[in-house]
Each structure stands twice: as C-alpha cells, then as structure tokens.
Amino acid sequence: MKVDGKHFRSIWRERDGWSVGAIDQRRLPHEFVIARLTSCEDAAVAIRDMLVRGAPLIGATAAYGMALAMREDSSDAGLKRAYETLIVARPTAINLKWALDEMRATLAPIDPLERAEAAYARADEIVEQDVEINRGIAANGLQLIEAIAAKKPGETVNVLTHCNAGWLATVDWGTATAPIYLAHERGIKIHVWVDETRPRNQGASLTAWELGHHGVPHTVIPDNTGGHLMQHRMVDLAIVGTDRVAANGDVCNKIGTYLKALAAHDNGVPFYVALPSPTIDFAVNDGIKDIPIEQRSGVEVTDMTGRTADGRLETVRIVPEGSPVANYAFDVTPARLVTGLITERGVLKPDRASLAAAFPERIAAAAE
Ligand SMILES: CSC[C@@H](O)[C@@H](O)C(=O)COP(=O)(O)O
C-alpha cells in the first residue's frame, strides 16, 4: 500500500539479495524508519520487540529468519537451532509456527549445501502467498461491504476495526483492511472507526497512519467508544483480524476484541473476522481454554510515548508509582459472537464443519 504516494510492503529482500528490510513499526507514526535484518537473531528480536508485528508478518519474518540462519549454518543442528530461536519469539500468533513448520518441511529433507538457496525461495513464496491470500480476502469481504452500500445508496458505509490488521500486519493489503482498501478503490463511500487499542495503540499509531497515507477516511476513537457508536447505528459492520482461530471457530485477537464482539452482538451489528488460512490452528479445539495468551511488560500500561508540541519524542508515566498492572495482550471471542470468517476461500460460518470443508488439506496436515 502507499506511503507518501510510493508503494511499500512491510518486509522485503534487500537489493543485496540476502538481507531483509522491514519497516520499524515501533517508530510509527512519528518516524518512518527502515530496519535491516542480517541474522536469525535479528529476526527473532524484531518479532519479540515488535519491530514487526501482526500475525502474518510475524510468520513472514520468521521465514526470512530461517533463510538468514541457513546462510550462517545450514547443518541439521543449525536448522534445529534456528527453529528453536524463532519459535519462542512470541506465543500467540500461530502463523509463527506455521511458517517455521513450512520452512522446516522444505529444508530438512535436502542437502545442507542447498538449504540456504531453498530457504530464500520458500520464504519468498510465503511472502507472495500472503499477498495473494489477502487479495482473496479483499474480494470476498468486498461483497459484504457492497451489500451494505446497496441498502443505503449514496450514504457512507461505516466499518469499525480494532488493533492493526492492516498492511503493516501482513506483507501487503492487510486482512481486516483488505476489503476496505478494495471498496475505497472501487469508489464506495467508506469510513473506518479506528479503535486506539491500548496499551500499545496499534490502532491510533498504525491503522490510522496507513489509512491516512492511502487516503481512506477514518476517525480514531478511544477503545471504549464502540458500544456507544453501535447503539446509535453509527457502525454498519465490524471487521477485525486474528492471531489464531481454533478449529471450533473461536477467534483470538488483540485484547478488547471480545468486548467489541459483545457490543456488536447486543446491537445487531455484523461482526466479521478476516483471516488467512495459516491463522487457523486445527490442533486447538477450544480457543478459550487452549490458545496461549501473551502477557507483556507492565511498562506498556504504565507509560505512554508521544510527540511533544516542540517535536520531541517523550515517554511519560500515567499510572501511580507502585500500582500493580496487568497486560494481557490478547483475548478470545467465542465463535457464537462471530458473524462470519472472511477467508481467501470465501466467507465461512465460524464452526468446525465450515472450516474443515474449506481447508481439508490443513486438517490432514494437522493430523500427521
Ligand atoms: C492481520 S493481523 C491480525 C492480528 O495479528 C492483529 O489483529 C493483532 O492482534 C496484532 O497484535 P500485535 O500484538 O500488534 O502483534
């Protein structure tokens, strides 16, 4: 998508052919800085410290991390070490494990001398596949937006989203934002309510930034505002992303998603989740019981960073010294609150049978 009129992806292979470029998302929206990853350790730290974040981008970064590792040591021990270094970088997004398993399945059976080249080729494929999948999500989600637009000719379609499931969270297009960008391109009048998404403010800092650069009308709202807007018919539909969908259709996403789903349910607002198939975890049958929820540093809750009036970046404390804080990074929305799952293979019911029918090859792989 566009930054100052120029097309960017969130991650790419640099011109040297081996190092990896990525937008440093910790610096947005204040500074546009490109980081260069040159080792497996760099990739692991980029994921852990959230230089890159968002489930599909975490997977893509891990894939390149494996490729970087194979340049250094392509032995069986090197492959194992790279997998083990990357898998622990963050716990909740299943795309990390999916990408690492894909890489290992490609690399383990081949001669170590061929592994580096094969690793870059497979990582490039994973990256291109992500973009293709998101185009599919865009086309399928567009139909939902078109249906709403047809019911209110000439009026704006209002979409609420939470966190950043935009192009910054993927390689390009985003998941939740993909149908929004396509609708905007097609000339549908669309406006996005952007939840700020405390404590890291991915909505205020990232979603607002990318929508703004792409010219999509949007308004940033404090996290607690969605229910009020829904009561006043100011939201036509909600579309969010996800870090892991359980086989039963339960959806794990950024903390606060569940409360939005409850408010949507109470107000009859359709609540959709957009996801690429690598985000489905057929090994987890009950999302609430079995998806691991990341707990992050309390500093993300106690402190906030922003730009001062005279242009400096400054961090300030907003919680009394000594008050304990809790920082659960994700929650699980039960399938019963989800209207539909927007995937590259269509809009599915959030249940086991629909997921299994749409992605039979993933079920087979999970059973192996
Ligand atoms: C297409 S991204 C889907 C999710 O990964 C996204 O909604 C989200 O919760 C990201 O969380 P983050 O902690 O910023 O990695």
Side-chain angles (χ1 to χ4, degrees):
M1 297 284 111
K2 292 205 182 97
V3 181
D4 293 331
K6 188 173 164 212
H7 182 258
F8 268 90
R9 284 182 170 186
S10 62
I11 194 164
W12 58 88
R13 246 214 261 188
E14 287 289 8
R15 288 228 178 99
D16 58 21
W18 66 271
S19 66
V20 176
I23 299 171
D24 186 343
Q25 302 195 20
R26 299 166 306 182
R27 313 281 283 269
L28 291 172
H30 308 294
E31 294 169 335
F32 185 75
V33 174
I34 289 171
R36 183 165 172 255
L37 313 179
T38 60
S39 66
C40 174
E41 189 59 28
D42 277 359
V45 170
I47 296 169
R48 193 193 66 209
D49 291 355
M50 294 180 68
L51 183 154
V52 294
R53 28 68 53 204
L57 179 57
I58 289 171
T61 308
Y64 279 133
M66 289 288 268
L68 290 165
M70 291 303 95
R71 289 184 80 238
E72 295 159 9
D73 177 1
S74 63
S75 66
D76 287 355
L79 182 57
K80 186 165 178 282
R81 196 166 43 247
Y83 189 103
E84 286 169 0
T85 301
L86 289 157
I87 193 72
V88 295
R90 284 190 79 188
T92 301
I94 193 63
N95 307 59
L96 175 61
K97 180 173 185 303
W98 174 85
L100 291 175
D101 287 348
E102 290 289 313
M103 295 297 290
R104 188 169 57 184
T106 301
L107 302 176
I110 64 175
D111 187 325
L113 291 174
E114 294 168 6
R115 280 182 182 156
E117 198 181 328
Y120 277 104
R122 184 69 189 109
D124 288 345
E125 270 173 22
I126 286 173
V127 159
E128 294 306 324
Q129 185 189 356
D130 181 70
V131 179
E132 271 320 296
I133 285 176
N134 295 341
R135 283 190 219 279
I137 291 172
N140 294 327
L142 177 68
Q143 294 173 24
L144 303 170
I145 294 172
E146 282 175 338
I148 292 168
K151 283 192 199 143
K152 43 190 297 199
E155 286 182 56
T156 298
V157 176
N158 287 293
V159 184
L160 181 138
T161 195
H162 190 70
C163 193
N164 173 260
W167 70 264
L168 288 167
T170 65
V171 176
D172 206 353
W173 281 90
T175 58
T177 56
I180 294 168
Y181 285 125
L182 190 56
H184 177 70
E185 265 179 25
R186 297 278 167 92
I188 294 173
K189 279 166 77 178
I190 195 153
H191 164 263
V192 186
W193 295 110
V194 178
D195 281 355
E196 62 174 345
T197 318
R198 283 279 294 144
R200 285 187 69 99
N201 300 316
Q202 287 96 326
S205 299
L206 304 177
T207 306
W209 181 84
E210 61 168 81
L211 291 174
H213 273 276
H214 211 76
V216 179
H218 63 278
T219 306
V220 178
I221 48 175
D223 284 327
N224 314 321
T225 310
H228 169 78
L229 297 178
M230 290 179 195
Q231 283 175 327
H232 291 272
R233 319 308 317 159
M234 292 162 80
V235 180
D236 293 299
L237 80 165
I239 312 180
V240 299
T242 169
D243 288 80
R244 200 185 295 215
V245 175
N248 69 349
D250 289 350
V251 167
C252 181
N253 191 45
K254 182 53 55 192
I255 193 79
T257 302
Y258 170 48
L259 290 176
K260 291 301 138 63
L262 280 173
H265 189 254
D266 195 44
N267 289 284
V269 173
F271 188 89
Y272 286 96
V273 179
L275 62 129
S277 53
T279 305
I280 307 166
D281 187 352
F282 281 107
V284 166
N285 287 308
D286 180 326
I288 296 172
K289 266 196 358 225
D290 294 332
I291 294 177
I293 301 295
E294 178 178 16
Q295 291 190 53
R296 296 187 56 85
S297 164
V299 173
E300 293 181 351
V301 180
T302 57
D303 293 15
M304 283 183 99
T305 300
R307 197 178 276 294
T308 60
D310 59 0
R312 283 173 297 111
L313 286 181
E314 203 163 292
T315 300
V316 294
R317 187 175 171 100
I318 58 167
V319 175
E321 292 291 344
S323 282
V325 295
N327 188 8
Y328 296 91
F330 299 94
D331 60 25
V332 175
T333 299
R336 67 186 161 78
L337 298 177
V338 177
T339 309
L341 301 173
I342 309 172
T343 75
E344 69 269 28
R345 295 197 187 155
V347 181
L348 311 177
K349 285 201 200 122
D351 60 37
R352 197 178 304 271
S354 308
L355 284 167
F359 299 101
E361 75 284 8
R362 295 291 312 288
I363 295 251
E368 273 168 18

